[in-house]
Amino acid sequence: MTGSSAGASTAFGAGDSALGYLYQIRMALLTALRRINPAADEDFSVYLETLDDVVFESTGTALELFQLKHHSNTQANLTDASPDIWKSLRVWMAGRESGVVSADDRLVLITTQTIAEGSLASKLLTGNRDEAGAVAILRAIPGSSTNATNAPAYEAFQALGPKEQLTLVSSIVIAPNQPNIEQVGVDIRQEVRFTVRRDHVDSFVTRLEGWWFTK
């Protein structure tokens, strides 16, 4: 596993608060720890703030691009017109248009928020997907929403042909109810608990995160 925060500039910011960026760093570490498989002996690379908030790349496989959205109010629902969804779509559409994001790349929106049954997000989970239903909701939203922040994304999505819209949506996975920044720390501790002696776990995690933040 290798890590990088090369900081390639993009047209879109990762977030206005330092907390959001720290969340990206911690979630990247947690996700990387969960992917390590000593038996498989497969290398992968992790990038922050390059093509997306977090990018995972393995030799011979498509990229996985993560948009991470951290909210203090984790009980709020991720609505169909949420700027979190539409900003992510805009980033991914721009990436595809420029050629830096391919049709094979997996596009993942990770959010601490919950989702409602029948919502756009509920149709794009890892299982029981309804991609055609998601496209129908995405097509309808611009006509019923007055959110000026989303206007560029609305326009870009409407400019896509029906096949392009479905292809884009088919690449998207929404992961709601994800741990907040404090819980991520707890989850990291759980991932490494069998790596060192129990009485050394806290010091090991402190050193690991220190090394990771430096990277």
Side-chain angles (χ1 to χ4, degrees), residues 79-98:
T79 66
D80 296 347
S82 169
D84 285 357
I85 291 178
W86 286 94
K87 181 183 178 182
S88 298
L89 281 170
R90 187 183 172 203
V91 170
W92 293 329
M93 287 186 289
R96 284 195 168 196
E97 184 178 6
S98 68

PDB file of all heavy atoms in Angstrom, residues 79-98:
ATOM      1  N   THR A  79     -31.272  14.077   0.895  1.00  0.00           N
ATOM      2  CA  THR A  79     -32.419  14.281   0.012  1.00  0.00           C
ATOM      3  C   THR A  79     -32.020  14.169  -1.456  1.00  0.00           C
ATOM      4  O   THR A  79     -30.838  14.234  -1.800  1.00  0.00           O
ATOM      5  CB  THR A  79     -33.045  15.657   0.245  1.00  0.00           C
ATOM      6  OG1 THR A  79     -32.094  16.674  -0.153  1.00  0.00           O
ATOM      7  CG2 THR A  79     -33.404  15.850   1.716  1.00  0.00           C
ATOM      8  N   ASP A  80     -33.018  14.020  -2.321  1.00  0.00           N
ATOM      9  CA  ASP A  80     -32.760  13.877  -3.761  1.00  0.00           C
ATOM     10  C   ASP A  80     -32.105  15.124  -4.351  1.00  0.00           C
ATOM     11  O   ASP A  80     -31.356  15.027  -5.325  1.00  0.00           O
ATOM     12  CB  ASP A  80     -34.071  13.585  -4.504  1.00  0.00           C
ATOM     13  CG  ASP A  80     -34.684  12.256  -4.098  1.00  0.00           C
ATOM     14  OD1 ASP A  80     -33.991  11.460  -3.440  1.00  0.00           O
ATOM     15  OD2 ASP A  80     -35.864  12.016  -4.434  1.00  0.00           O
ATOM     16  N   ALA A  81     -32.399  16.280  -3.774  1.00  0.00           N
ATOM     17  CA  ALA A  81     -31.827  17.535  -4.277  1.00  0.00           C
ATOM     18  C   ALA A  81     -30.642  17.999  -3.439  1.00  0.00           C
ATOM     19  O   ALA A  81     -30.206  19.152  -3.550  1.00  0.00           O
ATOM     20  CB  ALA A  81     -32.888  18.635  -4.314  1.00  0.00           C
ATOM     21  N   SER A  82     -30.089  17.112  -2.633  1.00  0.00           N
ATOM     22  CA  SER A  82     -28.964  17.481  -1.778  1.00  0.00           C
ATOM     23  C   SER A  82     -27.767  17.936  -2.600  1.00  0.00           C
ATOM     24  O   SER A  82     -27.373  17.267  -3.560  1.00  0.00           O
ATOM     25  CB  SER A  82     -28.552  16.287  -0.915  1.00  0.00           C
ATOM     26  OG  SER A  82     -27.315  16.540  -0.277  1.00  0.00           O
ATOM     27  N   PRO A  83     -27.170  19.076  -2.245  1.00  0.00           N
ATOM     28  CA  PRO A  83     -25.948  19.500  -2.939  1.00  0.00           C
ATOM     29  C   PRO A  83     -24.836  18.457  -2.863  1.00  0.00           C
ATOM     30  O   PRO A  83     -23.984  18.403  -3.748  1.00  0.00           O
ATOM     31  CB  PRO A  83     -25.562  20.790  -2.198  1.00  0.00           C
ATOM     32  CG  PRO A  83     -26.859  21.321  -1.682  1.00  0.00           C
ATOM     33  CD  PRO A  83     -27.651  20.096  -1.293  1.00  0.00           C
ATOM     34  N   ASP A  84     -24.824  17.636  -1.812  1.00  0.00           N
ATOM     35  CA  ASP A  84     -23.813  16.585  -1.709  1.00  0.00           C
ATOM     36  C   ASP A  84     -23.893  15.641  -2.905  1.00  0.00           C
ATOM     37  O   ASP A  84     -22.867  15.239  -3.469  1.00  0.00           O
ATOM     38  CB  ASP A  84     -24.001  15.778  -0.423  1.00  0.00           C
ATOM     39  CG  ASP A  84     -23.538  16.526   0.817  1.00  0.00           C
ATOM     40  OD1 ASP A  84     -23.023  17.659   0.670  1.00  0.00           O
ATOM     41  OD2 ASP A  84     -23.686  15.983   1.917  1.00  0.00           O
ATOM     42  N   ILE A  85     -25.102  15.261  -3.286  1.00  0.00           N
ATOM     43  CA  ILE A  85     -25.286  14.364  -4.429  1.00  0.00           C
ATOM     44  C   ILE A  85     -24.931  15.076  -5.720  1.00  0.00           C
ATOM     45  O   ILE A  85     -24.167  14.563  -6.554  1.00  0.00           O
ATOM     46  CB  ILE A  85     -26.730  13.846  -4.493  1.00  0.00           C
ATOM     47  CG1 ILE A  85     -27.001  12.889  -3.331  1.00  0.00           C
ATOM     48  CG2 ILE A  85     -26.997  13.155  -5.835  1.00  0.00           C
ATOM     49  CD1 ILE A  85     -28.422  12.355  -3.284  1.00  0.00           C
ATOM     50  N   TRP A  86     -25.473  16.270  -5.895  1.00  0.00           N
ATOM     51  CA  TRP A  86     -25.317  16.945  -7.188  1.00  0.00           C
ATOM     52  C   TRP A  86     -23.914  17.498  -7.390  1.00  0.00           C
ATOM     53  O   TRP A  86     -23.419  17.532  -8.524  1.00  0.00           O
ATOM     54  CB  TRP A  86     -26.390  18.024  -7.332  1.00  0.00           C
ATOM     55  CG  TRP A  86     -27.725  17.405  -7.594  1.00  0.00           C
ATOM     56  CD1 TRP A  86     -28.679  17.088  -6.675  1.00  0.00           C
ATOM     57  CD2 TRP A  86     -28.212  16.966  -8.851  1.00  0.00           C
ATOM     58  NE1 TRP A  86     -29.747  16.487  -7.288  1.00  0.00           N
ATOM     59  CE2 TRP A  86     -29.498  16.399  -8.619  1.00  0.00           C
ATOM     60  CE3 TRP A  86     -27.726  16.999 -10.158  1.00  0.00           C
ATOM     61  CZ2 TRP A  86     -30.280  15.873  -9.649  1.00  0.00           C
ATOM     62  CZ3 TRP A  86     -28.500  16.482 -11.188  1.00  0.00           C
ATOM     63  CH2 TRP A  86     -29.758  15.926 -10.936  1.00  0.00           C
ATOM     64  N   LYS A  87     -23.239  17.909  -6.322  1.00  0.00           N
ATOM     65  CA  LYS A  87     -21.843  18.323  -6.473  1.00  0.00           C
ATOM     66  C   LYS A  87     -20.981  17.130  -6.873  1.00  0.00           C
ATOM     67  O   LYS A  87     -20.094  17.246  -7.732  1.00  0.00           O
ATOM     68  CB  LYS A  87     -21.306  18.943  -5.188  1.00  0.00           C
ATOM     69  CG  LYS A  87     -19.851  19.399  -5.329  1.00  0.00           C
ATOM     70  CD  LYS A  87     -19.277  19.960  -4.037  1.00  0.00           C
ATOM     71  CE  LYS A  87     -17.818  20.351  -4.221  1.00  0.00           C
ATOM     72  NZ  LYS A  87     -17.187  20.854  -2.979  1.00  0.00           N
ATOM     73  N   SER A  88     -21.245  15.974  -6.259  1.00  0.00           N
ATOM     74  CA  SER A  88     -20.503  14.763  -6.606  1.00  0.00           C
ATOM     75  C   SER A  88     -20.729  14.408  -8.073  1.00  0.00           C
ATOM     76  O   SER A  88     -19.776  14.090  -8.804  1.00  0.00           O
ATOM     77  CB  SER A  88     -20.933  13.603  -5.711  1.00  0.00           C
ATOM     78  OG  SER A  88     -20.644  13.872  -4.356  1.00  0.00           O
ATOM     79  N   LEU A  89     -21.979  14.476  -8.502  1.00  0.00           N
ATOM     80  CA  LEU A  89     -22.293  14.198  -9.907  1.00  0.00           C
ATOM     81  C   LEU A  89     -21.544  15.150 -10.834  1.00  0.00           C
ATOM     82  O   LEU A  89     -21.009  14.741 -11.867  1.00  0.00           O
ATOM     83  CB  LEU A  89     -23.802  14.328 -10.147  1.00  0.00           C
ATOM     84  CG  LEU A  89     -24.677  13.161  -9.715  1.00  0.00           C
ATOM     85  CD1 LEU A  89     -26.154  13.558  -9.792  1.00  0.00           C
ATOM     86  CD2 LEU A  89     -24.417  11.945 -10.603  1.00  0.00           C
ATOM     87  N   ARG A  90     -21.516  16.420 -10.452  1.00  0.00           N
ATOM     88  CA  ARG A  90     -20.844  17.405 -11.296  1.00  0.00           C
ATOM     89  C   ARG A  90     -19.352  17.108 -11.413  1.00  0.00           C
ATOM     90  O   ARG A  90     -18.761  17.191 -12.499  1.00  0.00           O
ATOM     91  CB  ARG A  90     -21.059  18.807 -10.722  1.00  0.00           C
ATOM     92  CG  ARG A  90     -20.534  19.919 -11.631  1.00  0.00           C
ATOM     93  CD  ARG A  90     -20.705  21.270 -10.970  1.00  0.00           C
ATOM     94  NE  ARG A  90     -20.048  22.313 -11.742  1.00  0.00           N
ATOM     95  CZ  ARG A  90     -19.643  23.467 -11.253  1.00  0.00           C
ATOM     96  NH1 ARG A  90     -19.832  23.737  -9.974  1.00  0.00           N
ATOM     97  NH2 ARG A  90     -19.047  24.362 -12.007  1.00  0.00           N
ATOM     98  N   VAL A  91     -18.724  16.751 -10.286  1.00  0.00           N
ATOM     99  CA  VAL A  91     -17.306  16.394 -10.301  1.00  0.00           C
ATOM    100  C   VAL A  91     -17.063  15.213 -11.233  1.00  0.00           C
ATOM    101  O   VAL A  91     -16.147  15.216 -12.059  1.00  0.00           O
ATOM    102  CB  VAL A  91     -16.815  16.066  -8.878  1.00  0.00           C
ATOM    103  CG1 VAL A  91     -15.421  15.455  -8.911  1.00  0.00           C
ATOM    104  CG2 VAL A  91     -16.824  17.314  -8.005  1.00  0.00           C
ATOM    105  N   TRP A  92     -17.895  14.191 -11.105  1.00  0.00           N
ATOM    106  CA  TRP A  92     -17.714  12.981 -11.911  1.00  0.00           C
ATOM    107  C   TRP A  92     -18.012  13.230 -13.386  1.00  0.00           C
ATOM    108  O   TRP A  92     -17.317  12.710 -14.255  1.00  0.00           O
ATOM    109  CB  TRP A  92     -18.604  11.869 -11.353  1.00  0.00           C
ATOM    110  CG  TRP A  92     -18.174  11.402  -9.993  1.00  0.00           C
ATOM    111  CD1 TRP A  92     -16.889  11.379  -9.501  1.00  0.00           C
ATOM    112  CD2 TRP A  92     -19.007  10.899  -8.941  1.00  0.00           C
ATOM    113  NE1 TRP A  92     -16.873  10.885  -8.219  1.00  0.00           N
ATOM    114  CE2 TRP A  92     -18.151  10.578  -7.837  1.00  0.00           C
ATOM    115  CE3 TRP A  92     -20.378  10.673  -8.813  1.00  0.00           C
ATOM    116  CZ2 TRP A  92     -18.646  10.056  -6.652  1.00  0.00           C
ATOM    117  CZ3 TRP A  92     -20.864  10.152  -7.623  1.00  0.00           C
ATOM    118  CH2 TRP A  92     -20.007   9.844  -6.556  1.00  0.00           C
ATOM    119  N   MET A  93     -19.031  14.018 -13.675  1.00  0.00           N
ATOM    120  CA  MET A  93     -19.340  14.323 -15.071  1.00  0.00           C
ATOM    121  C   MET A  93     -18.209  15.116 -15.719  1.00  0.00           C
ATOM    122  O   MET A  93     -17.842  14.864 -16.870  1.00  0.00           O
ATOM    123  CB  MET A  93     -20.671  15.082 -15.174  1.00  0.00           C
ATOM    124  CG  MET A  93     -21.893  14.209 -14.930  1.00  0.00           C
ATOM    125  SD  MET A  93     -23.475  15.068 -15.218  1.00  0.00           S
ATOM    126  CE  MET A  93     -23.525  16.198 -13.807  1.00  0.00           C
ATOM    127  N   ALA A  94     -17.656  16.079 -14.972  1.00  0.00           N
ATOM    128  CA  ALA A  94     -16.538  16.859 -15.500  1.00  0.00           C
ATOM    129  C   ALA A  94     -15.323  15.962 -15.728  1.00  0.00           C
ATOM    130  O   ALA A  94     -14.602  16.118 -16.721  1.00  0.00           O
ATOM    131  CB  ALA A  94     -16.191  17.987 -14.532  1.00  0.00           C
ATOM    132  N   GLY A  95     -15.101  15.024 -14.821  1.00  0.00           N
ATOM    133  CA  GLY A  95     -13.984  14.097 -14.983  1.00  0.00           C
ATOM    134  C   GLY A  95     -14.141  13.218 -16.203  1.00  0.00           C
ATOM    135  O   GLY A  95     -13.176  12.960 -16.928  1.00  0.00           O
ATOM    136  N   ARG A  96     -15.350  12.766 -16.445  1.00  0.00           N
ATOM    137  CA  ARG A  96     -15.595  11.940 -17.634  1.00  0.00           C
ATOM    138  C   ARG A  96     -15.446  12.762 -18.921  1.00  0.00           C
ATOM    139  O   ARG A  96     -14.898  12.288 -19.905  1.00  0.00           O
ATOM    140  CB  ARG A  96     -16.994  11.336 -17.564  1.00  0.00           C
ATOM    141  CG  ARG A  96     -17.094  10.164 -16.593  1.00  0.00           C
ATOM    142  CD  ARG A  96     -18.350   9.369 -16.813  1.00  0.00           C
ATOM    143  NE  ARG A  96     -18.319   8.112 -16.089  1.00  0.00           N
ATOM    144  CZ  ARG A  96     -19.135   7.105 -16.326  1.00  0.00           C
ATOM    145  NH1 ARG A  96     -20.045   7.210 -17.274  1.00  0.00           N
ATOM    146  NH2 ARG A  96     -19.047   5.990 -15.624  1.00  0.00           N
ATOM    147  N   GLU A  97     -15.938  13.975 -18.881  1.00  0.00           N
ATOM    148  CA  GLU A  97     -15.840  14.823 -20.070  1.00  0.00           C
ATOM    149  C   GLU A  97     -14.393  15.127 -20.424  1.00  0.00           C
ATOM    150  O   GLU A  97     -14.021  15.167 -21.599  1.00  0.00           O
ATOM    151  CB  GLU A  97     -16.605  16.126 -19.836  1.00  0.00           C
ATOM    152  CG  GLU A  97     -16.652  17.036 -21.062  1.00  0.00           C
ATOM    153  CD  GLU A  97     -17.452  18.297 -20.822  1.00  0.00           C
ATOM    154  OE1 GLU A  97     -17.891  18.532 -19.677  1.00  0.00           O
ATOM    155  OE2 GLU A  97     -17.635  19.067 -21.788  1.00  0.00           O
ATOM    156  N   SER A  98     -13.554  15.307 -19.406  1.00  0.00           N
ATOM    157  CA  SER A  98     -12.134  15.613 -19.650  1.00  0.00           C
ATOM    158  C   SER A  98     -11.311  14.376 -19.961  1.00  0.00           C
ATOM    159  O   SER A  98     -10.176  14.480 -20.415  1.00  0.00           O
ATOM    160  CB  SER A  98     -11.539  16.333 -18.445  1.00  0.00           C
ATOM    161  OG  SER A  98     -11.476  15.459 -17.324  1.00  0.00           O
TER     162      SER A  98
END
